[in-house]
Each structure stands twice: as C-alpha cells, then as structure tokens.
Amino acid sequence: DAGVIQSPRHEVTEMGQEVTLRCKPISGHDYLFWYRQTMMRGLELLIYFNNNVPIDDSGMPEDRFSAKMPNASFSTLKIQPSEPRDSAVYFCASSLGTSGGVEQFFGPGTRLTVL
Amino acid sequence: GQSLEQPSEVTAVEGAIVQINCTYQTSGFYGLSWYQQHDGGAPTFLSYNGLDGLEETGRFSSFLSRSDSYGYLLLQELQMKDSASYFCAVKRSNYQLIWGAGTKLIIKP
C-alpha cells in the first residue's frame, strides 16, 4: 500500500487567499484525522471522520476552516481566508476502527506558509 | 481538564538506555500510545499499552501504571537513528488521541 498521501507537500500563499489541502487515506481505513502541528501548540487534532462522516470538529480553530470527506478515498481541509497564524504543518492520518484509533498512520504532511 | 506531561528534552549516549516518562490527567482513559517523529517527518506509531505492565517490541519497551497515571518509553541499545521526538498520547473512549508536547531525544556518540 502507498500509505497516506497528502498534497501539496508545500504551500506558500498570501494572506487572504484560499488554501485547499488534500488527503487520500489508506484503502480500507474507516477513520480519518486532520492535525495541525506548530512549535508553540504542538500536535492538535482539528477534525476526524468515521466512514466519511465528521464525528468531532471541536478542534477546528474557527469558521475559516472547513473539512469534507466526499468518499472513502478523499478528504480536503480548506482555509478561507488564510492568515499568517495558520502557518503550520498539516497532517492527515488514517486508522482502522478495529484498532480503536490507537495506531494512526500519518501522511507526510503539508507545510503551509501564509505570508 | 486534560493534560499530559513529558520532558521537553533528553540526552543520552549511543549504546546506552534511556527512559522517557509521561504523566497524564484525563477523563475517559483507555490506554497510552507512543509515537516517534524525526525532524521534518511524520509521527509513526511505536507502541500501545491498554493494560498495566510492560510491552516489548525489539529495542523499545513501553510501560503503563493506571493507578499512578504514568507511563514510560524505554529505548535500549541506542542508535544515532533514534534521535527524534517521542510523543505519548492518551486514547480516550471516542477514538481520539490526546497528545503530549513531545520529548526531543538527543543522542551523542
């Protein structure tokens, strides 16, 4: 299996622009997680899905952030409008429900820089 | 509230043994996971303790004491490639992991 795939790997944009991050989970995994990692705040869970349905989005910072999972093999995290404080590494991870979310497989991440 | 505490940095010598501690305070505790993250990389799963006691996986072992709200990761026969950050994460009942801030392990030759 190719593992979790994320694109783009790097994104540089200007404040106010829309940013869309993409994720393809491991085939057969029924849980998908979006995280944000910064030096100041560490690894933060933003939202997670089970069978394409959002279960908990309490970690989404504000209304500028939205996430969708239209099917089992694709998810997006959108920031509109972007701000410099959104600069971070965004990880997508997937997991099998049978593992109880214990073992999560992370993608390589998208390093976002908002100027 | 919920909190996990682990040392920010630990230094050890190649070939030695090092222990990274994690104490937690959280509701709905199911177990403790450990992840490794190299600089510029993604977290990768190392181990999970759902029950008290020691779990061994090669050179790595992990321990949990629910009564003490405490766990640790033990790395033996340290190699330079073990230089990384190590995160403990509490599994709650709702499939979420609550993450510690991470411990940066520095290995000297």
Side-chain angles (χ1 to χ4, degrees), chain A residues 23-100:
Chain A
C23 174
K24 176 179 169 56
I26 293 173
S27 177
H29 282 193
D30 48 356
Y31 280 82
L32 184 138
F33 306 83
W34 280 102
Y35 289 94
R36 177 172 70 175
Q37 187 174 39
T38 62
M39 289 295 294
M40 291 297 295
R41 301 175 67 89
L43 199 59
E44 303 174 277
L45 176 66
L46 300 177
I47 185 172
Y48 76 98
F49 296 81
N50 175 219
N51 291 324
N52 314 337
V53 176
I55 302 301
D56 189 337
D57 65 354
S58 60
M60 296 286 260
E62 46 197 277
D63 292 346
R64 298 185 296 106
F65 286 68
S66 62
K68 294 182 179 180
M69 192 166 185
N71 57 63
S73 59
F74 184 65
S75 178
T76 59
L77 178 68
K78 185 176 293 186
I79 308 173
Q80 166 63 18
S82 58
E83 297 183 1
R85 60 189 167 131
D86 302 330
S87 296
V89 180
Y90 290 81
F91 288 105
C92 172
S94 68
S95 177
L96 276 172
T98 51
S99 81

Side-chain angles (χ1 to χ4, degrees), chain B residues 31-108:
Chain B
L32 192 69
S33 289
W34 289 92
Y35 282 74
Q36 178 192 60
Q37 184 179 28
H38 287 98
D39 283 349
T44 56
F45 174 78
L46 290 177
S47 68
Y48 174 72
N49 293 75
L51 301 173
D52 282 3
L54 193 68
E55 293 282 341
E56 297 180 78
T57 308
R59 294 186 297 113
F60 294 3
S61 303
S62 58
F63 172 84
L64 175 65
S65 169
R66 287 170 173 263
S67 59
D68 296 321
S69 297
Y70 163 76
Y72 66 72
L73 180 69
L74 190 74
L75 295 81
Q76 303 182 65
E77 301 174 14
L78 284 172
Q79 302 175 9
M80 296 304 293
K81 68 178 181 179
D82 298 329
S83 295
S85 291
Y86 292 85
F87 294 84
C88 58
V90 164
K91 173 179 158 44
R92 298 179 65 201
S93 57
N94 56 358
Y95 283 79
Q96 286 187 24
L97 292 179
I98 307 299
W99 295 77
T103 298
K104 185 176 180 65
L105 175 60
I106 299 170
I107 300 175
K108 297 184 175 181

Side-chain angles (χ1 to χ4, degrees), chain A residues 96-115:
Chain A
L96 276 172
T98 51
S99 81
V102 163
E103 183 173 6
Q104 297 181 13
F105 294 80
F106 282 73
T110 295
R111 183 172 295 275
L112 174 65
T113 303
V114 183
L115 303 174

